[in-house]
Amino acid sequence: MAPQLLKDLATHSRKWIIQCRVSRKWVATNCNSGKVLHLDMVLIDSEGSDIWAMVPPLLIPKFESSLIEQEVDSNLPAPVLLPEVPTAEIPKISLAQLNDFKSNEAQSDKLFSVEGMVTQVCPNWCYMGCVACPRKVEEDLEEYFCGHCKTTSRIAKAKYRVKFRLEDSTEEADFAILEHEGLRFFGVMADELFQSNQRNKEPLPPQIHHIVNMTLKLTVKLIEFNIMNPQTEISVVSIDHDPLQQLNKDLCSKELGGATSVGQKTEAAFDCEANDQK
């Protein structure tokens, strides 16, 4: 069987041969117990398409040593990747400046560094997405249709779209943590959090609940859509913060009786539309 491209993968079969480059890999753990959940990777094929992949914990010892980041098979053309921008070259600005830039087309597609405290988190922290791409699916009875892939499936997966408000000494602004950065930042797949949240019937998963009142350093990117629609959230490229460290501090402090309940401000969460993921 010849290797397939990632765009050709479909849900009607579970047997595929793909030839990809391991762009990133990391071990996902339970933030409370430290238990290893799975080994996660970003795979990129010869066309530059990417997909998330997961190795179950029992199979990690078998495959981890052969899954090397940035290793490229000699028969596989290296995909064209955007160069990483050194942190020193990303200007740090205030939220007031960032909001002003929304009316300036010259600032489109530029990276900026901002810092502030999370004051509100939208309750609609995820959306149901296609299993093969990041796009939102349309639900029709017991099936899901992806307009991007033009496929219908009985399976859909929850994907991160954590919308929150950040505040600094100058102003406030709204941001969104999407699937790739959400998985890295929270350390667990969105679908796993969604299933757990459904079982526990919680307003928000604890991992997301605990970012309220945190001070975060963000690298963000203004896109043309933000310029044309100034009220929309700005996508987060990366977060320079380890939420597990803060979470552990909060839990320890709470056990000692000295902590204020984290996430009190979530009751005042700003209005969000559940169907705005295009």
Side-chain angles (χ1 to χ4, degrees):
M1 182 177 179
Q4 303 290 313
L5 293 171
L6 293 178
K7 68 179 183 180
D8 297 324
L9 300 183
T11 58
H12 58 74
S13 173
R14 293 192 176 185
K15 289 187 176 181
W16 297 95
I17 296 177
I18 60 174
Q19 192 173 35
C20 292
R21 170 183 180 177
V22 179
S23 174
R24 291 174 57 192
K25 75 171 183 177
W26 64 97
V27 176
T29 60
N30 184 297
C31 65
N32 293 319
S33 65
K35 179 182 177 181
V36 173
L37 301 175
H38 34 72
L39 175 68
D40 292 310
M41 300 169 289
V42 179
L43 304 179
I44 301 179
D45 67 12
S46 59
E47 290 191 345
S49 300
D50 64 343
I51 193 172
W52 292 103
M54 180 185 72
V55 178
L58 293 179
L59 296 178
I60 291 178
K62 180 178 180 180
F63 293 105
E64 186 174 20
S65 60
S66 60
L67 297 170
I68 303 174
E69 288 184 338
Q70 306 299 324
E71 182 179 34
V72 183
D73 189 283
S74 58
N75 297 319
L76 178 63
V80 178
L81 301 176
L82 293 176
E84 294 186 0
V85 179
T87 305
E89 296 182 11
I90 302 177
K92 184 175 182 179
I93 62 174
S94 68
L95 295 182
Q97 289 174 303
L98 184 65
N99 287 332
D100 288 341
F101 287 165
K102 288 184 179 181
S103 60
N104 187 346
E105 292 186 7
Q107 304 301 331
S108 178
D109 292 326
K110 291 185 178 180
L111 294 174
F112 301 101
S113 175
V114 297
E115 182 176 355
M117 186 179 73
V118 179
T119 60
Q120 300 175 13
V121 177
C122 176
N124 301 318
W125 62 274
C126 67
Y127 65 94
M128 299 309 296
C130 176
V131 295
C133 80
R135 302 299 179 88
K136 183 177 181 179
V137 294
E138 299 175 13
E139 185 175 2
D140 182 16
L141 298 178
E142 295 183 355
E143 293 184 328
Y144 301 94
F145 174 73
C146 176
H148 178 69
C149 299
K150 306 299 182 184
T151 57
T152 300
S153 172
R154 289 183 171 272
I155 303 173
K157 288 190 175 182
K159 304 288 183 75
Y160 283 111
R161 185 174 176 82
V162 183
K163 293 179 280 188
F164 64 98
R165 182 160 295 166
L166 201 72
E167 182 182 277
D168 66 7
S169 59
T170 65
E171 215 163 275
E172 59 185 17
D174 297 333
F175 300 91
I177 303 172
L178 303 181
E179 180 69 0
H180 286 196
E181 183 60 13
L183 182 53
R184 188 199 70 81
F185 180 60
F186 295 109
V188 62
M189 298 180 69
D191 198 59
E192 188 173 331
L193 273 190
F194 178 78
Q195 299 298 336
S196 174
N197 203 46
Q198 291 288 95
R199 292 192 299 269
N200 298 330
K201 298 180 179 180
E202 299 170 321
L204 279 174
Q207 289 88 338
I208 296 175
H209 188 195
H210 277 77
I211 74 171
V212 178
N213 297 332
M214 280 189 182
T215 297
L216 299 180
K217 297 179 181 179
L218 311 177
T219 297
V220 301
K221 183 178 184 180
L222 281 176
I223 60 176
E224 184 179 356
F225 188 73
N226 297 128
I227 305 297
M228 301 297 294
N229 303 270
Q231 302 304 315
T232 56
E233 301 85 12
I234 302 171
S235 296
V236 174
V237 176
S238 64
I239 306 173
D240 182 19
H241 182 83
D242 182 358
L244 303 186
Q245 294 180 1
Q246 184 66 42
L247 178 58
N248 290 334
K249 290 179 182 179
D250 292 338
L251 293 177
C252 290
S253 180
K254 189 173 182 179
E255 290 176 358
L256 295 175
T260 303
S261 179
V262 178
Q264 291 175 339
K265 295 185 181 180
T266 52
E267 297 180 358
F270 51 97
D271 294 333
C272 299
E273 295 182 5
N275 299 318
D276 60 352
Q277 177 70 20
K278 302 298 183 185

